[in-house]
Structures are given as structure tokens and as C-alpha cells.
Amino acid sequence: MNKLQFKLLVGILLAIGLGVFSYKVSVLGFPLVPSEKTSAWNVEAHVAFDGKNSPVKVVLQTLNRVSGFAVTDEFFIGAGYGRQRVSQRITDEQITNEAYDQNSVVIWSKRLADGKQDLIYSAVLRPESAGEMPKWSPPQNIPELRDPQFSEAEAVAANALLSRIGKESADMESFVPLLMQELQHSEKNSNAAFLLRNAKNSRGVVNVAVRLLHLSGIPAQSVHGITLGTASDARISHWLELYQNDSWHMFNVAKGVFSTPVNFVPWWRGEAPLAELTGGKHLQVSLSVVPDAIDAMKNVVDRIAATHPTFFDYSLFSLPVQAQATYRVILLIPIGAILLVFLRNVVGFSTFGTFMPVLIALSFRETQLLWGVGLFSIVIALGLGVRLYLEHLKLLLVPRLACVLISVVLLMAGISVVCFKLGIPRGVSVSLFPMVIMSMTIERISVMWDELGAGKAIQQAVGTMAVSVLAYIVMTNSYVEHLFFVFPELFLVLLALTVMMGRYAGYRLLDLVRFRTFIRG
């Protein structure tokens, strides 16, 4: 492979790996640490009314398009009720308000309803960015001025009110607060009182304000929502969204000032009420918002499953839980292998076998490190004794390996029985060691012992054990396990680094140290 192909391959691997990793962290919000916590909010709307033994229909605004949040785990509870979810304008003769254009509603219906009726809508709001509260995001559409549809008398009163306020204001920042002040204290102005004669609550006042703003040439719409906090009971607060000078402005109706909402979640926009009832009486809607500190990783997985189902279906999180647990271990093997490459090719450690220390480290995950090293050393020492005895029998290679394997199995079984009888339960875990790997290790130590002497064989055995211990430390780190299970694309980065080590690691650090020691000597 020439240098251009090599650099191109490394560049592609790094670009894909780091690109996908950055996208999942910055856009999808995957946490970088396993123990990170985030907040989610359980929102519930309880609709109660009395039926009149007649057909009934209930329309409730639902959380659908909430900027900065993913709405998941939606449940619609109503015994014996049919349900229809509508995300577009409703053309039913009872519901013709244009405010439904941007909203999503649920329609409960029942042929006959009598007595006390209860309907419940619940959902979970999950922030799209972990660790911070989403900020208010302006609407994507630019509203057009529309006819406020005032009657002749209403038009006269509206023009008189706007003319008076216009003379007392200089710009939108002063015009809107004066307008809301006049509407909220309509008893002081007959024109405002006439326009608000049918307004029964603060939402009605806001709706009249929107119509007056359109008449005055300011595109506006009302937005109704809840404030996320620690209190369980929630109340609907009303804001005005006004568009002027190519930007959106938010006006706090309750405080009478322009400001940016804090912890505010828009529920619906427009003149429509939170709930409408046909065929019943005494409609009541109670809201509750309960914060919940949950695991950030679970929050992201649930949110991705709801908002990006295709991405979720082709990720490791779509596998069964048992399979996920298996891959959490399997994905650690390449980590140990890359560490082994670095220790052998860059540092200069000598080990038995290519990936033997990685498999030994994998078995240490079950036995724990100290017990694993001790039991492994005992089995290897006893196995070497058997191997040295077999040397006198002059057996061929394959029969000799088979004898060593049989001896290793018997030694492991004997150690387990003795440890169990002595009340040492950790000794039973010796059965988790890879028997074939241990047999090959014994054979290689024995061959090196014969060819290069005991010192060289023991030195390489110690190097193998040292690399196994280092690999165990890395492979049992919860942060490493989390990163490479959640972000498997990082293996492309490690693959690029491994390719670079395989091409450029021509001088090992330990060899350089030995060479300098030789020169000085």
C-alpha cells in the first residue's frame, strides 16, 4: 500500500469515527459518562366532567411539537371511550377555530355518558440536550396579518382604543404593555370593556389582544404553556408571540413585560381552549408536572426510540437485554487487543501468544484480579511440572498437548474441590480460565525453557502476566465499557491508530532503553 492510500484510509476511518461520535454527542445527546443523570418531567392532564346520558365528545390539546423536548410515553386513558389523534386542522362543525392549525389534539368520544366521567392524558417530556434546560425557540412560521373579524360596533371600539394607545406610545415595546394594561383593567375604559364582554378568563383577554394587534398591523399569536419546576400542580400561563423587524418577541402577559421565557414549555398556540366539551357539563381540567431524575443513558435511548426509530432499530440498543450484556463484554476484547499491540509494538513487552494476555484478562473479570493471578500462577506451575515429566516420555507434539490439556482440566477441578472444602469460594472460579489457552501457555513456557533457559522463560511469563493485568484494568473500567458500547464508531478511530502503529512503530521503547544502556556500558 503506497503512502497516499495509507493516509487516505487512515483519514477516512478517523473522519467517519469522529464524525459519528460528535453527532451522537452534540446532536443526539448521548452522555459521555455512565453515571450521568438528567431530568425528565411527567406531565398529566386530568379531564373531569358530568355526563348527561347523551353522546359526548371531548377535545384536549396535547403535547406534540415542543421545541427542545421529545414527547414520549404518551397514554390516553378513558374507559369505554373511542379516541382519535389529530395533528391538523379540525373541520368538525363544533370545532372550526384556526388555532388548531399548529396544534395536536386528542378527541375522546362516547355514544352515551352519564354521571361522573374521568379522562387522563399523560406524557413524559425528555430534554434533547442532557444537563441543561431547553430554551424557548421561536416558531418556524412567519404569521400573516389576518382579519380580526370585528363587528361594526367592535371595529369602532377597537379603532378608538388603538388610536388612544397609539398616541401614548412610541414603538412596539411601549405599545403592547399599554394595550395589555387597558385590557386587563377594562373597567376604566368603556371601549375595552365592550370588546371583552364575552371574555371569561385571561385566555379570552389574550385572544382579544391578538385580534387588536393584527388590526394595528403587528402579526401576533397567543401561546399557552406550563412552567417546569419543583411544584407538582401546574397552571397554564399565557404569552404573546409578536413578529416585527424580522424577529420574534415574547411578551409575558402576567407580568406585562417583554422577556424570554425560562423553563417554559408551550402546550398549544392560538385561540382554542385547553379542552372543549360537547354533550356534558361542569368541565374541569387539572394539570400536574412531576420532575424525575433519571439515568441520562436511559433517557436518551427512550427519546431516540421515539424520535429516531430507524437509528434506534439499527443500533445495539435494539437488541435483547441479554444480547446487549454479551456485547458489552465482547466489545472489550478489541480494546485489550489494541492495548496489547501498543505494549508489544511500541513499548516492547514480550508475551506468549498474540492475544493470549487479552483472553487471560477476560477471565480475570470473573475471578477478580488478585485471585485470578494467584490461581493462574498455581495452575501454570503445576502444569509445568506435568509437562516436564511428559518430556521424559518422548511423546509427539499433538499427543503431548492433549496430555497437558487433560492435566490442566484435572488440576482445575482438583483446585476447585479443595478450595470449596476449605471454604474459599473464589477458588471455584478457576473453572472460568480458558483451558486451551493455559495448555498452550504451559507448552510455550516449557519449549522456551528448553531452548533459551529458565530466566528467559520466566521473564516472558512475567511479561505476559503484566500485560494481562494492564488489559484487565482497562477492560474493567466502567467508562471504557460505556464509551465503546454507546459509541462503537470509536473502534474506527482505534483501527486507524492500530494501522498507524503497525506501519510506523519500528523502534520499541524498551529496545531503545536497552540499546542506550549497552552503549553506556
Side-chain angles (χ1 to χ4, degrees), residues 46-316:
H46 181 193
V47 181
F49 63 93
D50 294 327
K52 300 187 296 186
N53 197 25
S54 62
V56 67
K57 179 182 290 186
V58 178
V59 179
L60 176 71
Q61 300 284 347
T62 60
L63 292 163
N64 182 34
R65 303 167 188 173
V66 182
S67 177
F69 289 90
V71 183
T72 64
D73 304 290
E74 287 189 288
F75 293 98
F76 307 88
I77 303 171
Y81 280 82
R83 177 177 57 84
Q84 179 185 4
R85 184 73 178 272
V86 181
S87 298
Q88 299 176 354
R89 180 184 300 183
I90 299 175
T91 58
D92 190 6
E93 58 182 1
Q94 283 91 10
I95 310 160
T96 58
N97 199 312
E98 292 184 359
Y100 283 103
D101 288 351
Q102 306 177 59
N103 304 323
S104 175
V105 300
V106 58
I107 303 175
W108 280 293
S109 58
K110 193 174 185 179
R111 177 62 61 183
L112 292 176
D114 189 25
K116 187 67 173 178
Q117 304 291 311
D118 293 286
L119 302 171
I120 295 177
Y121 164 71
S122 66
V124 177
L125 285 174
R126 302 181 184 274
E128 293 180 353
S129 299
E132 61 179 11
M133 179 71 70
K135 299 180 180 179
W136 170 76
S137 178
Q140 299 298 320
N141 64 312
I142 300 177
E144 298 179 356
L145 290 173
R146 68 172 187 266
D147 184 2
Q149 298 180 349
F150 285 131
S151 64
E152 185 176 351
E154 289 174 337
V156 173
N159 286 320
L161 179 61
L162 293 175
S163 176
R164 176 174 173 271
I165 297 174
K167 294 178 181 179
E168 299 175 357
S169 61
D171 49 21
M172 186 188 72
E173 283 72 18
S174 58
F175 176 82
V176 176
L178 287 174
L179 174 62
M180 292 306 304
Q181 185 177 352
E182 291 291 337
L183 293 177
Q184 291 173 333
H185 300 86
S186 58
E187 68 278 359
K188 299 180 182 180
N189 188 299
S190 59
N191 293 318
F194 177 72
L195 294 172
L196 294 172
R197 66 191 185 280
N198 295 322
K200 299 179 180 179
N201 48 38
S202 58
R203 182 181 57 82
V205 175
V206 173
N207 291 338
V208 172
V210 170
R211 297 169 67 188
L212 289 171
L213 288 169
H214 277 272
L215 184 62
S216 64
I218 302 176
Q221 61 184 2
S222 58
V223 55
H224 321 277
I226 56 177
T227 300
L228 301 180
T230 57
S232 59
D233 295 333
R235 293 184 179 181
I236 295 295
S237 56
H238 309 284
W239 290 67
L240 285 175
E241 291 176 328
L242 306 100
Y243 189 81
Q244 194 174 53
N245 298 329
D246 298 328
S247 62
W248 283 96
H249 307 272
M250 287 291 287
F251 183 81
N252 190 332
V253 176
K255 297 182 179 180
V257 295
F258 283 94
S259 63
T260 301
V262 177
N263 299 343
F264 177 75
V265 175
W267 193 303
W268 81 100
R269 289 178 166 87
E271 299 180 2
L274 175 59
E276 288 184 293
L277 172 65
T278 304
K281 59 183 180 180
H282 302 148
L283 174 65
Q284 293 181 341
V285 182
S286 58
L287 303 177
S288 62
V289 180
V290 179
D292 186 15
I294 61 176
D295 181 71
M297 190 67 247
K298 183 180 185 304
N299 176 63
V300 172
V301 172
D302 292 341
R303 175 167 53 81
I304 296 300
T307 58
H308 299 76
T310 302
F311 182 89
F312 177 82
D313 290 340
Y314 290 93
S315 68
L316 292 173

Side-chain angles (χ1 to χ4, degrees), residues 14-25 28 311 487 489 492:
L14 291 175
I16 295 176
L18 294 177
V20 176
F21 172 77
S22 301
Y23 175 79
K24 291 172 71 173
V25 172
L28 298 182
F311 182 89
F487 307 102
E489 60 276 1
L492 297 179

Side-chain angles (χ1 to χ4, degrees), residues 302-349:
D302 292 341
R303 175 167 53 81
I304 296 300
T307 58
H308 299 76
T310 302
F311 182 89
F312 177 82
D313 290 340
Y314 290 93
S315 68
L316 292 173
F317 298 104
S318 63
L319 298 175
V321 176
Q322 185 176 3
Q324 291 187 39
T326 301
Y327 273 101
R328 284 185 179 272
V329 177
I330 292 177
L331 291 177
L332 293 174
I333 297 177
I335 305 299
I338 293 169
L339 176 64
L340 178 63
V341 170
F342 176 78
L343 294 175
R344 283 175 60 104
N345 288 47
V346 178
V347 179
F349 273 86

